[in-house]
Amino acid sequence: MSTFTFATAQYESGDWDSAPLVPPNIIDTIARYTEIEVNPTGAVVSLASPDLLRYPLVFLTGHLPVRFTDAERRQLREFLDRGGMLFVDDHNHDIDGVFHKTATEELVRTIGAPVLLPNSHPLFSSFFHFPDGPPTTTQELNGWGDNLVHKNLFAVVREGRIAVLYSSKDYSSEWGYHPENKRFQSVDNTRFAVNIVVYALTA
Amino acid sequence: MTARERVVAARRTLGAAVVARALLWAIALGASLLAIAAVLDWLVGAPRGVRALVLPAAMLVAAITAARVLWRGRRVRSVPTIALWLEERVPALNYSLVSALESPHASASLEREVAAVHWMPVVRRAVGGALLPPLALVVAVVVLLLALPAGVRERIRAPRAGDTLLRPPVAAAALRNRLSPLVADVVPPPYTGGHAVTIEEPSSIEALTGGRVTLRGRGSASGIAATMAGAPVVVRDSANEWRLEIAMPVKPAALELRDRTFARTVVLAPHADSLPVVTLIAPARDTVMRTPTGAFALAAQASDDYGLDAGWFEYIVSSGEGENFTFRSGIVRRASLGNQRGAHLSGALDLGALALHPGDLVHVRAVARDRNDVTGSGIGVSETRTIRVPRKSEYDSVAVEAAPPPDADKAQLSERMLIMLAEKLQQRRPSMARANVVKESQDIGRDQARLRQHVGEVIFARLGGAPETEDAGAANDGGAKLTPEQMLAAADAATRGAGAGATDFEGDETPVVAVNRPLLEAYNAMWDASRSLDVGEPGAALPAMRTALAAIQRARNAERLYLRGKSPVVILDIAKVRLAGKRDDASSSTLQPRAALDSSAERRARRFDRALDRIAADPRAAIDSLLALRVDALTSAPPLAAALAPAIDALRTGRDATDALVRARRVAAGVTVEQSDSPWGGGW
């Protein structure tokens, strides 16, 4: 089995590197709870690069407007056609925000409209069990962003498998801390990341 | 007797013959169908559903046959047709009969000519020829049916569960396996009021503990041995059957049957009568009573799966302190519940009669008992509530009663939520009374005003002054509330007062006003929305509310800063995270994960695999192994037991068991396959 590398998508527009501490934190979580062979450093991969196909799961986030170039759109479409999974998180946590509006427009243009992901989906039990659906974030509970607690994630599903997972919950902020600080938490709030990775690798 | 009268008489005879022929053919064909079905069932054995259709089908065939024969003989009603029929068969008439009938006033010579001819022998021969074939067939079929064994006829006449034993065996008695066919009669305990159930060819019998199970098979009981959990079970003769009776045990068990070299295992899967479920409704929570007088209302709801016998309330009074305590107990309002499955209990606890003193505690609970007279009455109890009488020394202590949760914090209502509330109200408006619309609209208006005040505070705070509310402003201005224009003016004034730094101008506005303009627009729109909401017009308020939301969003977008320094590059030490690192100054030893424990689930999976390995070589042994596994799984792994049942049935009846075995294998291996057939819905 080859080693899993957590990849962050780099795109021409916007601030793709707005959550630099999320990848090491997720890698730490994968190492902590699973026996998945994981690369200790994540990778940054351009959406327009053929290297995109080397990664089963790619993380995309940002605050600013997202406009894919033709090359990015074409490469992303091929990545998804070949079974890759894209995890998009709105770092603004704002359904009226520019990232949400532009990123969803780009996704619709590239692969199709995401739909509501039911909270009984296997994603929420692929490793840890989240019977109530996606875990809430501090940003939601504090009323920041759009002041809404999003009950569901959205997804583009192809042949029964999630191709694009879209979150308005701002996990980019929630998981954006140094992994060493995880020891101060009574319940690790990054456990849901394990489900996403395990789902991407097994579903 | 005239010619016409003689023809009418012949018609009567022929008509009766047609009816009799129809009946005989109907009986013959209907009975033939029954006989054929009976013989086929005897030879190959037909399912009960098919046999249930035979009798209606025979009746249908008989009805159709009778109708067809009657239809074909319909012309027997016509006198001229009868006359022509006679002319055809009696040439001596020489058309005199037809001529006599056609003429209204037949001549005497014609009548004499007709009278000279006797046609009744011809009619009788025709009648005999018509009735003889169906009559012969009826006799043959009836003889055949009577010759069949009574059980064969009974299976066709009235198919029912358990009649497989009525089918006579085809094989010779010495070679016959008396353990198949096998019929089980299950009678639930009398207190349940349930009906007896008959199961054919059972591999597993599920019944309430204490129910009577009777197993029956064909032939003598001699040489048949039965054991359950190692203990022998008596097998008796009964008419032409052997039978054994057992009570459904408390735990799952395997009943082993042996007949010479034949063996069979039947799994007994009992399920227990559950205890009554009792919920105490009143008192709803623990409480403290300074003056213990009056009556305390008691109410409870009880339910049971088979029936309740009685219900009551129990109380215990504990008095004293330190190391000296005394207890009193009693029962309130015992009621017979008459075998109902659900009942409401009510009563009253007279606190005055209990003579309570300070420091006493009264514990109250509701109790219900079911009618289980087999394994003992099940008694269900509710949770206990306490009523405490405080001591005088406790009067000035802090005793906080449990309070209901507070209303949702209205301060957290955002403009977006208010818009959603207003939109819902607008949708429901056509079906609501005007007064209710106004009331709910004003409620939203109050929240809108609260949010507007908050926006005002933010504006003032950003101008550098102390947070100042509209109310504070109203006090300063002699009771008049600040208007948006006054707010704008105040903002400008505050800017001018602050003085320094106001160098960046945009048009005629000061920079502070420009920065705050989106919020001031929001503030203004909120005023408009409040006015419409206060007069019960949520629809009119919505445009202003949306304007306010858009302005707030503009303000937020304009001021969202993403200041970020260079983040540290984090390179994880995976070995350290996994606690698998090693020290350079210590002996090298690689930590290996411990081997998984040999869990019971794994043992069951291995037993399942071993049983599967035997299927090809010895199917009967494989079935017995699966049955034994199912007996164990009934207690320790009910999902596996449930998955094994269809697989065993399929194997025993010779059907394709692949799918059922695959499902059982998945359960045995602990593989859970999530069904992703939940409806997808929603959108952006």
Side-chain angles (χ1 to χ4, degrees):
Chain A
M1 189 175 74
S2 60
T3 303
F4 169 70
T5 301
F6 187 86
T8 304
Q10 181 184 37
Y11 47 94
E12 291 289 328
S13 62
D15 53 344
W16 61 269
D17 57 343
S18 65
L21 288 176
V22 169
N25 207 358
I26 291 180
I27 293 167
D28 175 90
T29 302
I30 297 299
R32 193 176 292 258
Y33 298 115
T34 75
E35 293 186 352
I36 296 172
E37 291 297 328
V38 58
N39 198 327
T41 56
V44 175
V45 58
S46 167
L47 275 186
S49 165
D51 289 344
L52 189 67
L53 304 181
R54 297 172 54 195
Y55 304 100
L57 172 68
V58 174
F59 172 58
L60 188 151
T61 187
H63 298 93
L64 302 178
V66 178
R67 290 297 177 211
F68 292 158
T69 64
D70 289 342
E72 287 174 342
R73 198 172 295 126
R74 191 167 51 246
Q75 193 61 45
L76 177 58
R77 200 174 285 135
E78 185 178 359
F79 168 71
L80 299 173
D81 287 344
R82 293 193 179 196
M85 178 172 164
L86 178 69
F87 171 37
V88 185
D89 184 62
D90 178 7
H91 207 158
N92 284 336
H93 177 218
D94 188 352
I95 59 172
D96 283 320
V98 289
F99 179 89
H100 175 84
K101 288 179 175 174
T102 56
T104 51
E105 283 173 10
E106 284 297 339
L107 288 177
V108 169
R109 195 174 298 147
T110 304
I111 184 172
V115 295
L116 207 65
L117 188 68
N119 289 342
S120 58
H121 192 275
L123 171 70
F124 301 108
S125 55
S126 61
F127 195 87
F128 293 106
H129 283 270
F130 295 94
D132 298 327
T136 53
T137 60
T138 316
Q139 286 65 34
E140 288 179 307
L141 299 177
N142 282 343
W144 297 338
D146 53 18
N147 268 358
L148 296 176
V149 176
H150 300 272
K151 300 285 187 190
N152 294 82
L153 301 182
F154 287 82
V156 179
V157 178
R158 284 186 164 184
E159 297 175 357
R161 181 181 181 280
I162 294 175
V164 176
L165 181 66
Y166 187 92
S167 154
S168 291
K169 300 180 77 71
D170 196 1
Y171 289 119
S172 304
S173 299
E174 184 75 358
W175 299 341
Y177 57 90
H178 196 288
E180 289 289 334
N181 294 336
K182 205 173 284 182
R183 66 184 187 279
F184 297 118
Q185 296 186 352
S186 59
V187 176
D188 186 354
N189 60 2
T190 61
R191 294 183 308 153
F192 184 54
V194 183
N195 282 43
I196 297 173
V197 172
V198 170
Y199 183 88
L201 297 181
T202 59
Chain B
M1 185 178 270
T2 64
R4 173 172 290 276
E5 288 169 348
R6 291 179 62 200
V7 171
V8 169
R11 185 186 68 168
R12 199 177 302 124
T13 302
L14 290 171
V18 167
V19 172
R21 179 181 163 86
L23 286 175
L24 285 172
W25 274 120
I27 294 169
L29 293 187
S32 297
L33 184 61
L34 291 175
I36 292 169
V39 170
L40 287 176
D41 175 48
W42 186 14
L43 295 177
V44 298
R48 182 147 47 98
V50 173
R51 284 184 279 123
L53 294 176
V54 171
L55 195 55
M59 295 172 72
L60 182 64
V61 166
I64 292 172
T65 304
R68 180 176 168 76
V69 173
L70 289 173
W71 178 252
R72 290 183 65 182
R74 67 188 182 282
R75 284 184 297 177
V76 78
R77 292 176 301 176
S78 165
V79 172
T81 303
I82 297 296
L84 284 172
W85 184 82
L86 288 171
E87 289 277 6
E88 183 183 348
R89 281 162 179 75
V90 185
L93 284 172
N94 201 19
Y95 301 107
S96 56
L97 178 60
V98 176
S99 303
L101 291 179
E102 284 180 346
S103 172
H105 304 290
S107 64
S109 61
L110 270 178
E111 285 288 349
R112 278 195 304 273
E113 195 173 336
V114 170
V117 179
H118 298 283
W119 59 64
M120 281 313 288
V122 174
V123 172
R124 286 192 202 98
R125 276 198 302 275
V127 169
L131 296 184
L132 193 58
L135 186 60
L137 185 56
V138 166
V139 171
V141 171
V142 168
V143 169
L144 175 61
L145 283 173
L146 291 176
L148 290 173
V152 173
R153 293 197 302 272
E154 183 66 13
R155 278 167 59 83
I156 294 296
R157 189 183 66 80
R160 64 178 190 279
D163 63 4
T164 183
L165 297 181
L166 297 176
R167 182 168 159 248
V170 178
L175 304 175
R176 204 184 313 145
N177 176 8
R178 288 177 291 174
L179 304 181
S180 180
L182 187 66
V183 172
D185 300 316
V186 182
V187 183
Y191 76 88
T192 64
H195 301 290
V197 177
T198 299
I199 308 168
E200 290 184 354
E201 298 291 0
S203 59
S204 176
I205 299 172
E206 296 181 12
L208 192 64
T209 298
R212 301 297 304 174
V213 178
T214 304
L215 284 174
R216 297 183 284 130
R218 281 195 302 233
S220 162
S222 173
I224 295 180
T227 56
M228 187 170 72
V233 179
V234 177
V235 184
R236 293 191 176 88
D237 281 315
S238 173
N240 295 324
E241 301 173 352
W242 62 264
R243 65 171 57 204
L244 62 85
E245 291 190 8
I246 48 175
M248 184 56 83
V250 177
K251 292 181 178 177
L255 179 66
E256 306 281 352
L257 299 170
R258 291 201 172 276
D259 172 22
R260 291 160 293 165
T261 58
F262 301 103
R264 182 162 186 168
T265 304
V266 177
V267 175
L268 300 176
H271 56 88
D273 183 359
S274 58
L275 298 178
V277 177
V278 188
T279 307
L280 190 60
I281 300 170
R285 56 175 180 263
D286 297 346
T287 188
V288 177
M289 293 193 73
R290 184 167 173 174
T291 309
T293 56
F296 223 101
L298 303 174
Q301 189 69 33
S303 62
D304 187 61
D305 47 356
Y306 289 105
L308 293 162
D309 181 29
W312 60 89
F313 295 94
E314 289 179 355
Y315 69 85
I316 300 173
V317 180
S318 61
S319 308
E321 59 184 326
E323 297 180 354
N324 298 315
F325 276 97
T326 58
F327 298 94
R328 292 173 284 152
S329 63
I331 289 176
V332 177
R333 189 65 185 267
R334 180 191 291 269
S336 175
L337 302 179
N339 209 23
Q340 302 175 75
R341 293 199 171 185
H344 182 79
L345 304 173
S346 61
L349 182 63
D350 187 352
L351 296 180
L354 295 178
L356 298 174
H357 302 288
D360 286 359
L361 267 174
V362 183
H363 307 263
V364 183
R365 68 176 184 177
V367 184
R369 186 180 66 202
D370 66 18
R371 296 172 61 87
N372 186 348
D373 55 3
V374 177
T375 56
S377 294
I379 294 180
V381 299
S382 70
E383 62 183 54
T384 303
R385 305 259 193 270
T386 58
I387 304 164
R388 189 168 65 90
V389 183
R391 295 186 176 85
K392 283 187 177 179
S393 59
E394 297 173 353
Y395 286 175
D396 56 353
S397 66
V398 177
V400 180
E401 294 293 318
D407 293 337
D409 187 356
K410 296 296 181 63
Q412 292 180 2
L413 280 174
S414 68
E415 186 65 26
R416 193 189 313 278
M417 293 177 183
L418 293 178
I419 289 174
M420 291 162 70
L421 289 172
E423 286 174 342
K424 282 185 181 173
L425 178 59
Q426 183 65 14
Q427 285 175 357
R428 292 188 289 123
R429 185 177 177 176
S431 59
M432 294 175 67
R434 174 66 186 161
N436 292 337
V437 173
V438 172
K439 181 179 179 304
E440 291 195 21
S441 180
Q442 287 174 343
D443 288 344
I444 300 172
R446 274 192 290 279
D447 291 328
Q448 180 68 86
R450 191 178 294 123
L451 189 62
R452 188 188 67 237
Q453 289 176 7
H454 184 62
V455 171
E457 290 169 5
V458 171
I459 295 171
F460 271 103
R462 288 156 56 133
L463 294 180
E468 191 170 349
T469 64
E470 291 175 9
D471 295 338
N476 294 337
D477 296 345
K481 288 194 172 185
L482 281 177
T483 64
E485 292 75 18
Q486 288 172 318
M487 181 74 80
L488 277 168
D492 274 339
T495 306
R496 280 191 293 274
T503 57
D504 186 10
F505 287 85
E506 182 183 342
D508 295 336
E509 293 177 341
T510 62
V512 172
V513 172
V515 167
N516 285 303
R517 174 153 290 284
L519 281 183
L520 289 165
E521 283 180 26
Y523 186 90
N524 208 1
M526 287 177 179
W527 260 111
D528 294 340
S530 293
R531 275 194 288 272
S532 297
L533 289 168
D534 286 343
V535 296
E537 293 295 337
L542 278 169
M545 296 171 83
R546 293 192 182 108
T547 302
L549 177 62
I552 292 172
Q553 291 296 331
R554 280 205 310 280
R556 293 162 63 148
N557 286 335
E559 296 171 28
R560 184 165 290 169
L561 301 176
Y562 305 105
L563 300 177
R564 191 175 68 238
K566 184 174 174 57
S567 298
V569 177
V570 179
I571 300 176
L572 291 169
D573 184 349
I574 299 292
K576 179 184 172 190
V577 172
R578 287 178 168 162
L579 306 177
K582 61 179 182 180
R583 292 175 56 185
D584 293 336
D585 56 349
S587 61
S588 174
S589 62
T590 304
L591 293 179
Q592 297 291 338
R594 284 188 300 178
L597 290 175
D598 182 19
S599 68
S600 56
E602 288 170 343
R603 283 198 298 275
R604 283 193 296 270
R606 282 201 295 276
R607 284 176 65 184
F608 185 85
D609 290 343
R610 285 197 295 272
L612 288 188
D613 291 341
R614 288 184 198 153
I615 282 184
D618 190 352
R620 190 174 296 168
I623 292 172
D624 287 346
S625 299
L626 292 175
L627 282 168
L629 175 59
R630 183 162 189 265
V631 172
D632 293 343
L634 278 168
T635 308
S636 54
L640 176 59
L644 281 172
I648 293 171
D649 284 342
L651 286 172
R652 172 160 282 166
T653 55
R655 288 182 280 120
D656 183 7
T658 308
D659 288 345
L661 285 171
V662 167
R663 277 196 295 276
R665 180 68 183 83
R666 283 187 180 146
V667 177
V671 179
T672 55
V673 180
E674 297 271 355
Q675 297 294 325
S676 58
D677 55 355
S678 52
W680 291 77
W684 291 98

